[in-house]
Amino acid sequence: MNDPRITPPLPPDFDAVIVGAGFAGLYMLHKLREAGFTAHVFEAGDGVGGTWYWNRYPGARCDIESVDYSYSFSPELEQEWQWTERYPRQPEILAYLNHVADRFDLRRDIDLNTRVTAAHFDEHAGLWRIETDRGQPVTARHCVMATGCLSVPKAPELPGIERFAGATYLTAAWPKDGVDFTGLRVGVIGTGSTAIQVIPQVARQAKHLTVFQRTANFSVPARNGPLPAAEQQRIKAGYPDRRALSRQSLFGIPVAVPEAPRRTRDIPPAELNQTLETLWAQGGAMSLLAAAPDVLVDPEANARVAEFVRRKIRATVKDPDLAERLCPSTHPLGTKRLCLDTEYYETFNRDNVTLVDLRATPIETLTEHGLRTREAEYRLDALIFATGFDAMTGALLAMDIRGRNGRSLREAWADGPHTYLGLASAGFPNLFLITGPQSPSVFTNMVMSIEQHVDWIADCLAYLRARGIRCIEASAPAQAQWEAHVAAVADATLMPQADSWYVGANVPGKPRVFMAYLGGLGPYRQRCDEVAAQGYAGFELTPAAATV
Ligand code: NA7
């Protein structure tokens, strides 16, 4: 056994290990390599793509426009890639990410089919030991978690599931070869963003579709369509300005932060209605929120916009009782993810679609032939779970991450996530989180937020290298201050009111904490840049010679 007091630590295998090969992991690898670091990626899937690798369900599509939901780090990539539709379909995003992996020669540093099971910080050596479900452990000075905010699916624990003779599908683990529902009686559990995309597609194929709804959701039409070449060319010509605007915006999309926004409640009803009609006709969920930012703050403003959407639902769905059941009533608009759809409400006008309101008639059990609620049994050949994710913390806590003194992240976060800027956590030196909890992440265009974090982390590592600093760690007081700020901003909004995955309400036993930073991407970026400019204020830096 080596005596740690006399044995000099061996150099690590890599400067950084990156966990995950989605948008975040791919760019992190590229960026670190460009900066002259050695980096290696472990990815559980058998291909790159992360979210867009796993979520292959029918209708899977991004709810941010393709020209914005794409990397901005390479002007050449921006110009050469051609998007075909306003909102990109999953296969197109996956093809894009595969193109990125090839174009920047990333694959040689990625181990696919390899799930990271543990990461332990060795205080003596000042490095991370990373274990996977394949092969030998590796060591790295830094560990970067690019594990995604919505990457651990949450299937419901339904009684009788083992008895059900039909097929079951989880939207986030969809078969690669697709599924043919022709002639089948299909059920969908859930009416979140995913279900709202799946339902119109499956309804067209299945003999009958039964939608099991627990909470009616607000959805805005996407108005998706082909992206004409001339329009794409025009956007690409203006990319530098468009990206600059997105970086400074609240949501990471090219909509300016209004300088002196009018309160929605002060806008005369006819004028507000006209604005909302215009936005409704244009389509887009984020732009609706961006156009009236106080909708998430002021209950009266929210009620007015929410009622506008309910009127649209009533105007679309022919059966008035059914329309009423589809009208959200349990939460303010936007406090659960505002969905984007293509013919979602219209689908309920089809003869082969039934809505079951689980609040009125809860699920009792699955049976051999279907699903029984308190009032009826629905015969099903197949059942689709579009039931969401253990969001924001799920993927991080699935690994055995241990920092100083062997303390596990699960223990440290038992009462909810604790981070400084959503980038690091006290007690876990040299561990970085890309779009971690308490950063803007899911409340923005993820690609913009990912790029901001990757750039910040790479700059940070270069700073440490230039100064011979071996360890960086969030300080507990800075972390506490940041958390108080994140909570104060959330509490000033309506967001914590809903039982959403933003607060962990969809996972039994999960601490109820609002997990994203709502201050907007632009102001957040500024804060991160100031922290860096001040020599990483709020972090403790340990030089190589010192004991870690
Ligand atoms: P969501 O938004 O969490 O939606 C999950 C849906 O599943 C939602 O309607 C839930 O109802 C429903 N659900 C979950 N568990 C159950 C059980 N046990 N019984 C009945 N219904 C249930 O996940 P999505 O995948 O749609 O979207 C996640 C994000 O991905 C989305 O916001 C985008 O950012 C992309 P509930 O509302 O909890 O009553």
Side-chain angles (χ1 to χ4, degrees), residues 51 55 57 63 150 154-158 171-172 189-196 212-217 331 336-339 358-359 363 385-389 442 499-502 505-506:
T51 287
N55 287 273
Y57 58 85
D63 57 7
L150 295 157
K154 180 79 192 75
E157 286 132 36
L158 293 179
T171 49
I189 299 185
T191 48
S193 298
T194 299
I196 279 175
F212 297 94
Q213 169 186 276
R214 188 165 66 182
T215 307
N217 241 323
H331 57 282
K336 279 174 175 260
R337 175 89 169 195
L338 185 58
C339 303
L358 295 179
R359 287 186 191 242
I363 296 175
F385 297 114
T387 43
F389 299 85
V442 291
D499 288 334
S500 66
W501 56 259
Y502 296 127
N506 62 328

Side-chain angles (χ1 to χ4, degrees), residues 219-273:
S219 188
V220 176
R223 310 284 179 218
N224 187 38
L227 185 57
E231 166 73 355
Q232 189 160 180
Q233 209 40 51
R234 189 190 60 74
I235 292 169
K236 285 182 172 179
Y239 248 144
D241 289 344
R242 189 179 180 101
R243 300 297 202 181
L245 189 56
S246 299
R247 287 190 191 104
Q248 298 312 322
S249 70
L250 294 177
F251 299 112
I253 55 170
V255 175
V257 182
E259 278 185 14
R262 254 201 308 173
R263 295 191 316 171
T264 305
R265 61 164 72 190
D266 294 337
I267 302 173
E271 186 188 334
L272 179 64
N273 201 51

Side-chain angles (χ1 to χ4, degrees), residues 9 100 196 215 274 494:
V100 168
I196 279 175
T215 307
Q274 191 47 53
L494 306 172

